[in-house]
Amino acid sequence: MIRRILVGVRVLDPDAPSGSLALEITGDRVTSVGPVAAARTDGAEVHDLDGAVVTPAFVDAHVHATSTGLLVDGLDLTGCADPRTLLDAVAARATARPGALIWGHGWQELGWPHLPSRAEIDRAAGGAPVYLSRIDVHSALVSTGLLDRAPGAVGATGWSDGPLSADAHHHVRRAALAAVDGTVRAAAQRAFLRDAAARGVAVVHECAGPDISSAVDLAALRTLDGPEVVGYWGQAVRDVDEARDLLAATGAHGLAGDLFVDGSVGSRTAALRDAYTDAPGCTGNRYLDADAVGAHITACTLAGVQAGFHVIGDAAADTLTQGLRIAATATSVQALRTRTHRVEHLEMVDAEQRAVLAELGVVASVQPVFDALWGGPSGMYAERLGVSRAAPMNPLAALAGAGVTLALGSDSPVTPVGPWAAVRAAVEHRTPGSGITREAAVAAHTVGGHRAAGDHSATAGRLVVGAPASYAVWDGAGDPAPRCLLTVHRGTTLHSVRSGGVASSRT
């Protein structure tokens, strides 16, 4: 087996000595971490990386690979300052590619005088099918050309002349994805995986499901080279046989991820106990009740796999914890803890709910950049909910303090894959006291990601003797956003920057 030694590196692991070290990798395992002078270099491939930082390879615990990759050739609408800019982008794409699907993402209407009507989108599109998801991917602007392919959307919950949300949105999203051929899909998925590896990510948790993507999409993603894909399928089941059949049909790691209990704050579909401040009378959407949640968790527990849900609003968190209690009664507390069920986002959660999650061993898959983008006294959360309700959102410190394991992710394309941006956002939370330390954030983006997939081995996400050789090398420049020089997973190189100052010699 090849023996590789990284010399002169700083290793970010709780048990690693401080200072300049030598990290030895033999085959697919870490075999030594210690002083440079003690390194046994004979017969080894030696890399002089003086000043570089080595971390465990990161895990992004919540992604949507195809949707993200499609933006390489799609419309990035995150910079649209007004409706006219959005319509001009659609018109330019329709002129360049007459009749082709126009896929775009990222618009936010905050500060806009109005939202584009369907008639305006139709005029810009020239008859082409158009799907433009809001930044949270819980509503979308679409053209009549796309609606012709999704007749079920008309009159469904969430139907309007403007953005479609809830069930109406799910119909048009399925139609838009169905219009993406296999070649385009494969290119999008490969682009996503390459980019993730170049950012030091070696494992991604794909949160698929019938309202998000398709079983074909998930199966295709899992065949590609690159970062390891842990695939989840977000579809509710009622009994253990149904759970096992669905797992066999999809090849999923678990029946979790974006299994919606509610929607999002930005689209006003997150389920709230009290109405939105900027939409009196609106308390969001509820897709599952406590009995359905309890049945799903019970079935998955008995089938021996993870269950999980998309939960954002406080009323949705009520539903989740009630469902967990139902499942614990139907099985046992220990049975639930053994399965490591998970919850995505969990932005509004109180002390009682946190205690239930900790007791039952539920991992919280969270996205700190949400707070960086929308938190604070003048952010989108405050506009939707009021300052007092917005301040306690995304309570990372409180969750960790209650004993809930955190796993960090991006929810890409909602926010870009970028581990250091997530770490920074987790530390610099806009609400004082809600952030966590840098060390805890790195652990949540490495060890926590493995825990979120049910891996409780002592070496998962670590750089200690006997651990899998899954690591990333960083040049340290521009900290806290260093450049990734090398990403390796279980001994296989996923990304390498040969011109990044990596010197090697065989002795």
Side-chain angles (χ1 to χ4, degrees), residues 294-306:
H296 181 77
I297 298 170
T298 299
C300 290
T301 300
L302 295 175
V305 298
Q306 288 179 289

Side-chain angles (χ1 to χ4, degrees), residues 24 83 90 96 181 185 195 199 276 304 316 332 371 375 390 441 459 477 494:
E24 181 186 76
V90 171
D181 68 32
R185 179 183 62 222
D195 181 69
R199 297 175 187 274
Y276 285 84
S332 70
D371 174 75
T459 58
L494 306 181

